């Protein structure tokens, strides 16, 4: 019997996706990769998510439809690949080839401590022995130069292999590039989004970053074209979302999470960090005052089934560390230092999980018996 793709498509016309009741052809779920070799037929079905509850039943129904409509002799069992949109997201051009993991740190609202968390996370990761770089992409309010005591620093150019590369500034073992090094605070405010995006792309592509275990992006607050450019430019491993437990901050954090996980961007969220989770006065070490509300991020994380990566209290030394250019995480034994060390540990675990999942779900082949 001569097999041809149209016959297979006709058979698949009869398979409905239980979630909508529509045919999988109508829903555009059958990929354009039908391959016929003698009696052997293979192709892929595209699902929104790798854990789609109907994945196995749809694959089974497709097998049955082909065997019934086209003929028992078709070798189809085990030859239907189930793929998900998350997996087929085109990997952006490979910039930063020597960087293992790229983590974007974001927040819905400004002032919730995103930069403080980025700086201390970087130092805590360095304490663990990892090599770390930060791109301060918070173009309208770059704070990394101050937080790393590098305000006077002006990165130099170095000609490597005929290309002029920007040497990142460095302190406490963390490599840093920030628009704050190139533009004075007042002029950045008037930059158009595209100018900002192009400048950031240049700092990524022309920075002499070298090999790094973690490249942290301190994103501007909210959702903007800059976010879109960066996620399209870089193969981001995942996003860490920082918020205070306060309702208004959480509402904006939720918007940010929706943007990252939406179809247009589709970057995994590694988890949430609750900053300013409580205040403990030095003279009353047992007391916790929930100034911005209690467990707001923890509850949001639970609701969205995302890990809570850390709860960082309000501590005067955290603020002072930021202002004096000596992040508290440098003192790993202090209470705040330990909070950031725990956060770093959780981030490493979340990244490991993510990398394992990515490897395991590259192409999910469904065996006939399942
Ligand atoms: P964002 O990057 O979200 O705008 P910043 O990291 O600049 O926020 O933090 C805003 C202010 O709050 C800074 O002055 C910072 O030192 C302070 N801050 C942030 N987190 C804490 C904390 N956990 N305890 C005390 N002060 C904090």
């Amino acid at each position: 019997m001569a097999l041809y793709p149209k016959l297979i498509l006709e058979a698949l016309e009869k398979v409905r996706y239980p979630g909508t009741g529509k045919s999988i052809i109508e829903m555009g779920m059958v990929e354009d990769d039908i391959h016929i070799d003698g009696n052997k037929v293979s192709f892929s079905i595209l699902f929104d998510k790798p854990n789609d509850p109907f994945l196995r039943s749809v694959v089974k129904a497709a097998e049955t439809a082909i065997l019934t409509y086209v003929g028992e002799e078709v070798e189809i069992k085990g030859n239907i690949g189930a793929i998900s949109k998350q997996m087929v997201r085109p990997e952006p051009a490979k910039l930063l080839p020597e960087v293992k993991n790229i983590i974007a740190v974001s927040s819905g609202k400004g002032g919730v401590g995103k930069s403080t968390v980025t700086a201390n996370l970087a130092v805590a990761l360095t304490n663990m022995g990892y090599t770390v770089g930060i791109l301060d992409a918070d173009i309208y309010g770059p704070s990394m130069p101050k937080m790393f005591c590098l305000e006077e620093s002006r990165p130099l150019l170095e000609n490597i292999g005929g290309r002029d590369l920007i040497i990142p500034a460095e302190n406490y073992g963390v490599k840093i590039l920030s628009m704050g090094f190139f533009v004075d605070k007042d002029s950045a405010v008037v930059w158009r989004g595209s100018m900002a995006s192009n400048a950031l792309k240049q700092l990524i592509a022309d920075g002499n970053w070298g090999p790094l275990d973690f490249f942290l992006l301190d994103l501007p607050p909210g959702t903007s074209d800059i976010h879109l450019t960066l996620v399209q430019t870089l193969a981001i491993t995942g996003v860490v979302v920082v918020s205070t437990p306060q309702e208004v901050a959480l509402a904006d954090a939720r918007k940010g999470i929706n943007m990252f996980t939406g179809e247009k961007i589709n970057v995994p969220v590694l988890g949430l960090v609750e900053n300013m989770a409580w205040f403990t006065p030095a003279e009353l070490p047992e007391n916790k005052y929930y100034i911005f509300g209690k467990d707001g991020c923890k509850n949001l994380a639970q609701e969205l089934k995302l890990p809570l990566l850390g709860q960082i209290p309000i501590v005067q030394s955290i603020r002072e560390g930021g202002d004096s250019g000596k992040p508290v995480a440098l003192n790993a034994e202090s209470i705040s230092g330990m909070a950031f060390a725990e956060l770093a540990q959780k981030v490493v675990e979340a990244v490991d999980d993510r990398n394992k999942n990515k490897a395991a779900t590259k192409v999910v082949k469904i065996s006939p018996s399942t």
Side-chain angles (χ1 to χ4, degrees), residues 111-158:
V112 297
K114 169 184 51 63
S115 302
T116 305
V117 168
T118 309
N120 282 288
L121 174 62
V123 171
L125 287 167
T126 312
N127 290 344
M128 292 169 82
Y130 293 111
T131 48
V132 184
I134 298 178
L135 176 69
D136 184 1
D138 193 348
I139 192 137
Y140 303 114
S143 40
M144 286 306 137
K146 187 173 184 60
M147 289 190 175
F148 279 84
C149 205
L150 289 167
E151 278 176 299
E152 302 309 316
S153 180
R154 290 290 168 271
L156 300 171
L157 286 181
E158 192 177 17

Side-chain angles (χ1 to χ4, degrees), residues 80-275:
I80 302 179
I83 53 173
S84 90
K85 284 187 184 162
Q86 285 171 14
M87 296 169 212
V88 293
R89 179 168 73 91
E91 289 282 310
K94 188 79 177 137
L95 278 169
L96 303 173
E98 294 178 284
V99 171
K100 288 191 192 139
N101 300 293
I102 304 176
I103 297 178
V105 185
S106 89
S107 71
K109 254 170 72 69
V112 297
K114 169 184 51 63
S115 302
T116 305
V117 168
T118 309
N120 282 288
L121 174 62
V123 171
L125 287 167
T126 312
N127 290 344
M128 292 169 82
Y130 293 111
T131 48
V132 184
I134 298 178
L135 176 69
D136 184 1
D138 193 348
I139 192 137
Y140 303 114
S143 40
M144 286 306 137
K146 187 173 184 60
M147 289 190 175
F148 279 84
C149 205
L150 289 167
E151 278 176 299
E152 302 309 316
S153 180
R154 290 290 168 271
L156 300 171
L157 286 181
E158 192 177 17
N159 192 289
I160 295 173
R163 278 180 69 206
D164 278 335
L165 295 181
I166 309 163
I167 310 169
E170 188 166 339
N171 202 1
Y172 316 125
V174 180
K175 290 184 178 173
I176 295 171
L177 278 180
S178 165
M179 285 313 290
F181 293 144
F182 304 92
V183 189
D184 70 69
K185 279 183 195 126
D186 305 323
S187 56
V189 184
V190 299
W191 282 31
R192 279 178 290 114
S194 57
M195 282 164 76
S197 300
N198 284 335
L200 287 171
K201 274 194 209 166
Q202 195 186 353
L203 293 190
I204 295 166
D206 296 343
N208 186 21
W209 294 100
L212 293 177
D213 293 310
F214 291 97
F215 185 68
L216 307 185
L217 290 170
D218 185 10
L219 294 178
T223 53
S224 71
D225 279 357
I226 294 179
H227 295 78
L228 204 60
T229 307
L230 286 174
V231 295
Q232 284 166 349
T233 306
L234 288 168
I236 295 195
T237 314
V239 184
V240 169
V241 178
V242 182
S243 179
T244 61
Q246 196 181 3
E247 245 352 286
V248 282
L250 291 169
D252 286 357
R254 196 189 280 268
K255 272 189 221 152
I257 293 171
N258 285 341
M259 172 189 69
F260 286 115
T261 53
E263 273 192 19
K264 202 165 166 195
I265 291 195
N266 197 10
V267 176
V269 173
L270 296 174
L272 276 86
V273 180
E274 184 169 278
N275 189 33

